[in-house]
Amino acid sequence: MMYLKTATVKVETVRTVMEKMLATAGCDAATAKAIADLHLEADMRGVGVQGLNHLINSHLREIKEGVVDPKGKPTLVRETATSALVDGHNGPGPIAGVFAADLAAAKAKEAGIAVVGVINSNDMFLIGYYADRMARAGVIAMIFSDDKHCSVHPFGGVEPMMSSNPMAIAVPTDEHPFVHDFAATNYLPTYTRYAKRYGVAIPEGAAQDGAGRPITDPKILWGAGEKNVLQGALSPLGNKGYGILLAVEFLSGGLLGCAMGTEHKAEGAKKGHCFVAVDPGLFVGADQFRRAVSKRIRTLRSSRPAPGVKQVRVSGDGANASRTRAVETGEVVLDRLCWEDTRNLAKELGIAI
């Protein structure tokens, strides 16, 4: 649970701080810019869980601890006209993600369809960012990424055996792409950690304790101390959500010879991502497809809203409205605790804000 308290900050201030922090961790200028672009885009879209929060709490920490090689660059292992296998060389996930997204889109434009697998990689964060990028290149995108930090119990189980395992689907339209980026869990781990810091409850059905009993107190989930140590597990979106989480593991892990779920704990385990791109020209043609889905979206938006709802929306509408405001004002709304953490870390690193 984020944004209970907020801080409004200049977009360029956040970008500069991000890039300087990444530079102190050993990233070259191009890598720092690419990673900052990804996290800043998340914050501008109102998806703070994948923005500055993950930069300071995940990305920088894993680079400094030697988990991620800041100088690792993706290379091709092998390819065909419709496929490619990319080695991320344990570098930052966003660098391999952009490389694979562009490669999949380019191949699909040539051959009609393409699948690109990435191995030996790390968290890409906000995978809708890459799907959006592919859709803007004119292809339908599907992306799957098995997370390596297990926090979710299997349906009917108790132990944290898998993670929130995000996937994204994006489609080109006459406006901004339709992007559906989601994890098939009732709640995200980061939200429960912020709920603990804010001293508020988490929703019913979001998690359970170590004995499998439903809980709403985040301190039971993470422990009462300052350090967060998982004591229970988050819940999947029922049996159907559980199946989606498993499917993501199979496509981004098993298919590519990478680890799945608890296998990530093994020494030498590799994390994978799977990118699928389809050119609408294979069937009805790109223009006709774009017109058809755009018409369908307009029909849904114009349908009668439920009581208390201003307008029916589709996936991505809220994020794009948030981004538009950030661009127009030159400011981004951040979670206040996250911004305070950032300022404290910047001070430690000798970075002026």
Side-chain angles (χ1 to χ4, degrees):
M1 185 174 295
M2 300 181 71
Y3 299 113
L4 289 186
K5 296 180 180 179
T6 61
T8 301
V9 185
K10 294 291 185 182
V11 169
E12 289 310 310
T13 297
V14 179
R15 183 192 303 279
T16 299
V17 172
M18 286 182 173
E19 292 185 7
K20 287 183 176 180
M21 284 183 169
L22 288 160
T24 66
C27 294
D28 60 42
T31 297
K33 182 182 183 305
I35 296 174
D37 283 348
L38 175 278
H39 289 298
L40 184 57
E41 191 68 31
D43 281 319
M44 291 173 67
R45 294 183 188 188
V47 191
V49 65
Q50 299 290 353
L52 185 57
N53 161 73
H54 263 326
L55 176 74
I56 62 173
N57 292 309
S58 300
H59 229 143
L60 287 173
R61 176 176 53 80
E62 290 193 336
I63 291 175
K64 291 183 176 181
E65 291 177 354
V67 176
V68 176
D69 179 2
K71 301 188 183 302
K73 306 288 186 183
T75 59
L76 272 173
V77 177
R78 60 177 180 270
E79 66 176 327
T80 68
T82 57
S83 69
L85 183 63
V86 176
D87 190 331
H89 292 288
N90 199 37
I95 305 304
V98 168
F99 181 89
D102 290 349
L103 181 60
K107 283 184 173 292
K109 296 292 285 186
E110 288 291 327
I113 190 168
V115 181
V116 175
V118 180
I119 61 173
N120 196 21
S121 187
N122 291 288
D123 199 338
M124 294 190 298
F125 309 97
L126 193 67
I127 62 171
Y129 173 79
Y130 312 95
D132 179 277
R133 185 183 181 98
M134 293 168 68
R136 290 180 188 278
V139 300
I140 299 166
M142 291 171 278
I143 305 175
F144 311 91
S145 185
D146 168 34
D147 199 350
K148 58 186 178 183
H149 301 293
C150 292
S151 59
V152 181
H153 66 79
F155 184 73
V158 173
E159 300 175 79
M161 301 293 290
M162 58 183 63
S163 191
S164 46
N165 297 353
M167 64 175 289
I169 300 172
V171 170
T173 76
D174 288 339
E175 306 173 87
H176 55 74
F178 166 88
V179 180
H180 191 52
D181 174 354
F182 69 101
T185 58
N186 282 321
Y187 218 50
L188 291 175
T190 298
Y191 292 150
T192 63
R193 290 191 288 267
Y194 272 88
K196 176 185 171 182
R197 292 185 68 182
Y198 277 117
V200 298
I202 56 178
E204 292 185 5
Q208 59 186 36
D209 65 14
R213 296 170 297 209
I215 57 173
T216 58
D217 186 348
K219 290 183 179 179
I220 297 176
L221 180 64
W222 292 105
E226 184 176 340
K227 185 176 181 181
N228 291 317
V229 180
L230 191 63
Q231 306 292 315
L234 286 114
S235 300
L237 278 170
N239 187 46
K240 292 181 179 179
Y242 174 43
I244 292 173
L245 294 174
L246 274 178
V248 173
E249 286 190 0
F250 299 156
L251 291 169
S252 61
L255 179 64
L256 305 176
C258 292
M260 295 179 284
T262 49
E263 295 172 359
H264 283 289
K265 297 178 182 179
E267 185 176 351
K270 295 181 179 181
K271 175 177 170 60
H273 317 290
C274 182
F275 295 72
V276 179
V278 180
D279 183 355
L282 277 178
F283 301 100
V284 297
D287 290 341
Q288 183 178 337
F289 175 74
R290 201 164 48 245
R291 287 195 300 270
V293 297
S294 299
K295 179 182 178 182
R296 179 60 180 156
I297 288 171
R298 288 193 296 272
T299 299
L300 291 169
R301 286 181 182 143
S302 63
S303 65
R304 184 159 54 94
V309 177
K310 185 177 181 180
Q311 181 186 28
V312 174
R313 302 190 302 180
V314 299
S315 295
D317 282 354
N320 280 284
S322 177
R323 188 183 191 283
T324 298
R325 286 193 298 272
V327 171
E328 291 177 347
T329 64
E331 296 178 331
V332 61
V333 177
L334 304 173
D335 178 272
R336 187 183 298 178
L337 289 179
C338 179
W339 182 237
E340 289 174 0
D341 291 344
T342 302
R343 291 177 66 90
N344 291 334
L345 179 57
K347 185 175 181 180
E348 291 176 18
L349 297 174
I351 298 172
I353 296 182

